[in-house]
Amino acid sequence: MAHGQGRWLGFGRLHDMGGAELYAGNTAEMWASLAPWSQVTSSAAPGLVVVDIPAQRATRVILRRPLAAGTGRIRALMRRAGERGRVVVEDSFGGLALPAGGGITVDRYPLMIRPPAAIEPLPGPDPGGAGAAGNRADVRVVRAADREALAQAERVIVDGFPRRALQPFRPERMLPPLVLTIPGWQTWLAYRDGEPAAACCTFDDGAALGINWLATLPQHRSHGLGRAVMQAALSTFTQRPAVLVATQAGEPLYSSLGFRTVTEAAWYRSPGPGNSAPTGRPEPGAVR
């Protein structure tokens, strides 16, 4: 698909906003909701959100509209922020065309949307409760409601994705306990045979449900846990569109759940001082 904001192709007129706008707005609101753990700084251009994440020694620059700033301004922001640590520029619209080189790498990923719709619920009690929920007796999906479950989910995501910049794992560098109190934030955790096995986070900003960091630990893969977590998350938010950026490995699962690619997002990364540039194709979750 050509770069651009990606209207609801094939879905009819479901929302006045384009898919890329929904995603960009959701991720900007998600990071801003974590203040004071995260710090939103004033930017030099409207439509540009700069978020410092001290716990990760990282900065995110989020374009909330197409070409919110030129390449020169973005490079200057990356250079200044790069003195403190890792930098990611997230262009949901795919039109920035910032050249790679000089320590900057670029990767492109499908941005996918699912229209508001019911989804087949998981058998068993509400996953927000303490009872079993899953398509087999050995699988239980819950919403993390306390620090212990949140730390278990955080470890699954850091080691299952993996989020290499946050390894070795230390709790609260990715998911501070603050997320347990923020309206719209939910962390989903699947247990298999009683062990934490798969997880993801969702954020409802009132316009869309953003789905982030779906991960399964290697020893628990190929048992349908990613699908179970996604079904649990989507079944509780059927009234809004859902948005995500997909890895190549995850795209078939998302397509089978009703997601469709509407545009291609571009993520630009700079490793920061003392860090080597990523090798291979890095995953979106490493910077979300």
Side-chain angles (χ1 to χ4, degrees):
M1 177 172 294
H3 297 169
Q5 64 185 36
R7 296 289 167 181
W8 291 93
L9 302 180
F11 294 155
R13 188 172 178 80
L14 297 177
H15 202 287
D16 291 336
M17 297 174 70
E21 290 172 296
L22 281 173
Y23 180 86
N26 185 277
T27 193
E29 294 295 331
M30 180 189 76
W31 286 110
S33 76
L34 291 172
W37 184 84
S38 65
Q39 300 168 8
V40 179
T41 62
S42 58
S43 70
L48 201 62
V49 178
V50 180
V51 184
D52 289 331
I53 310 166
Q56 300 179 14
R57 293 185 63 243
T59 299
R60 300 189 60 81
V61 180
I62 302 165
L63 278 68
R64 292 200 62 164
R65 67 188 192 194
L67 300 175
T71 57
R73 181 169 290 175
I74 294 295
R75 276 189 176 277
L77 279 171
M78 293 186 77
R79 185 167 54 251
R80 290 196 298 271
E83 296 174 357
R84 301 188 298 273
R86 296 178 298 114
V87 185
V88 178
V89 175
E90 189 170 337
D91 177 17
S92 301
F93 309 90
L96 180 61
L98 187 68
I104 296 175
T105 59
V106 57
D107 290 278
R108 297 185 180 275
Y109 302 98
L111 191 153
M112 306 184 77
I113 309 292
R114 183 181 188 272
I119 191 167
E120 181 180 353
L122 290 168
D126 179 354
N135 53 11
R136 299 185 311 277
D138 61 344
V139 175
R140 182 168 62 101
V141 180
V142 301
R143 279 184 277 197
D146 56 38
R147 289 192 175 203
E148 180 181 5
L150 185 68
Q152 290 176 339
E154 183 180 13
R155 180 184 284 274
V156 167
I157 295 169
V158 169
D159 291 340
F161 229 106
R163 295 198 63 183
R164 295 181 182 89
L166 299 181
Q167 291 177 317
F169 172 74
R170 296 201 305 270
E172 301 184 17
R173 283 203 297 165
M174 176 188 156
L175 295 178
L178 179 64
V179 305
L180 295 171
T181 67
I182 298 173
W185 262 96
Q186 298 287 350
T187 302
W188 301 87
L189 177 61
Y191 295 91
R192 177 171 172 259
D193 293 330
E195 297 183 359
C200 81
C201 296
T202 60
F203 183 72
D204 179 4
D205 67 351
L209 179 72
I211 297 176
N212 305 291
W213 305 308
L214 177 66
T216 303
L217 291 174
Q219 66 269 33
H220 295 290
R221 289 174 186 162
S222 302
H223 291 280
L225 296 173
R227 179 176 296 276
V229 171
M230 287 291 293
Q231 285 180 297
L234 291 171
S235 67
T236 61
F237 293 93
T238 59
Q239 75 278 17
R240 304 202 200 288
V243 293
L244 57 82
V245 166
T247 60
Q248 183 177 3
E251 191 172 4
L253 169 62
Y254 303 136
S255 295
S256 73
L257 291 169
F259 286 84
R260 296 294 180 266
T261 299
V262 292
T263 191
E264 186 180 59
W267 288 15
Y268 300 87
R269 297 174 173 86
S270 175
N275 299 317
S276 59
T279 57
R281 182 173 172 82
E283 71 286 350
V287 293
R288 289 298 312 273

